[in-house]
Amino acid sequence: MLSLPFPLILASGSPRRKQLMTDAGFTFTIETRPTDETFPDTMPADAVAEYLACQKADQFRPDLGQRIVLCADTVVIVDEQILNKPQNEADAHRMLRLLSGRTHRVRTGVAILSPGGLTSFTDETLVQFAHLTDDEISYYIRQCKPFDKAGSYGAQDFIGLVGIERLDGSFYTVMGLPTHRVYQALKGLL
Ligand SMILES: Cc1cn([C@H]2C[C@H](O)[C@@H](COP(=O)(O)OP(=O)(O)OP(=O)(O)O)O2)c(=O)[nH]c1=O
């Protein structure tokens, strides 16, 4: 619906982000660039998602031209500890056990690089999970293989449908992109 002044690039390999941007009415192309997704040990957990989104955007600085590049990164935080993508089934099981029966935070950082410069922000949603049994966790991991998801779960998957009791914030932020804020930020470029 927005008619942007320059072509929009979604710099993400995430199928969820592609779907969300399509559903939000944007016309864009996808271009991903390898990015080092490590961050300084001393960095506060709350700063990491936006830092990584900006790192992804930085890869486009040398040849941005007349384009707008949108990047994002999602992290799950529990006990001030970041849960990344799981290494294997046992790791996924460990993370979901940790999230069971309690509230955690999902933070998605967004970076938008345009000919006018870089804009970045973070959106946070609190997610409360019901108690999850070992059987439910094992079934979910077997069926949905959440190895590409921060915290080992997709709010849009089985485990989210049966396990999420309460959300405080945007559901789409948990899925990987705060579309309402992306829309406003892109509108600001008009
Ligand atoms: C918590 C949660 C995460 N996720 C996804 C969103 C992100 O795709 C992924 C977190 O990894 P990211 O590193 O944010 O993104 P990505 O590697 O999938 O894609 P790219 O870096 O190319 O943009 O986890 C869900 O789909 N549902 C959820 O409920």
Side-chain angles (χ1 to χ4, degrees):
M1 134 136 217
L2 287 183
S3 179
L4 295 170
F6 306 109
L8 177 65
I9 313 292
L10 173 63
S12 173
S14 161
R16 277 93 36 185
R17 292 194 178 115
K18 179 180 176 195
Q19 191 62 50
L20 290 174
M21 283 300 284
T22 302
D23 293 348
F26 290 102
T27 302
F28 57 92
T29 52
I30 290 186
E31 185 181 331
T32 56
R33 295 197 178 172
T35 306
D36 175 10
E37 291 202 29
T38 57
F39 50 87
D41 284 347
T42 51
M43 181 171 282
D46 278 14
V48 169
E50 192 169 329
Y51 171 81
L52 292 177
C54 290
Q55 291 291 108
K56 292 175 188 181
D58 275 347
Q59 310 311 311
F60 290 83
R61 277 190 194 274
D63 60 343
L64 179 68
Q66 300 293 94
R67 300 186 293 172
I68 301 169
V69 174
L70 170 66
C71 304
D73 195 87
T74 300
V75 301
V76 169
I77 302 176
V78 63
D79 295 332
E80 294 316 298
Q81 181 198 337
I82 291 184
L83 302 185
N84 283 314
K85 296 173 191 175
Q87 306 287 331
N88 50 40
E89 258 186 52
D91 201 26
H93 209 284
R94 175 190 68 82
M95 289 188 196
L96 289 168
R97 178 104 325 292
L98 198 61
L99 298 178
S100 167
R102 58 183 300 188
T103 300
H104 64 272
R105 300 188 292 139
V106 179
R107 289 175 69 83
T108 294
V110 173
I112 298 171
L113 184 65
S114 74
L118 180 72
T119 308
S120 68
F121 58 87
T122 305
D123 200 65
E124 177 175 290
T125 297
L126 299 183
V127 181
Q128 183 179 316
F129 261 112
H131 173 76
L132 305 169
T133 65
D134 282 333
D135 277 356
E136 286 160 351
I137 292 175
S138 299
Y139 168 82
Y140 172 62
I141 294 170
R142 261 198 329 273
Q143 290 294 314
C144 294
K145 306 196 178 355
F147 302 109
D148 62 339
K149 299 198 176 75
S152 309
Y153 80 93
Q156 66 277 20
D157 296 342
F158 164 79
I159 207 84
L161 292 170
V162 306
I164 293 180
E165 291 180 335
R166 191 183 159 85
L167 283 177
D168 187 358
S170 164
F171 179 80
Y172 304 111
T173 295
V174 184
M175 265 182 78
L177 202 63
T179 42
H180 61 302
R181 291 189 62 182
V182 168
Y183 184 87
Q184 291 303 333
L186 290 173
K187 207 169 162 183
L189 298 179
L190 295 181

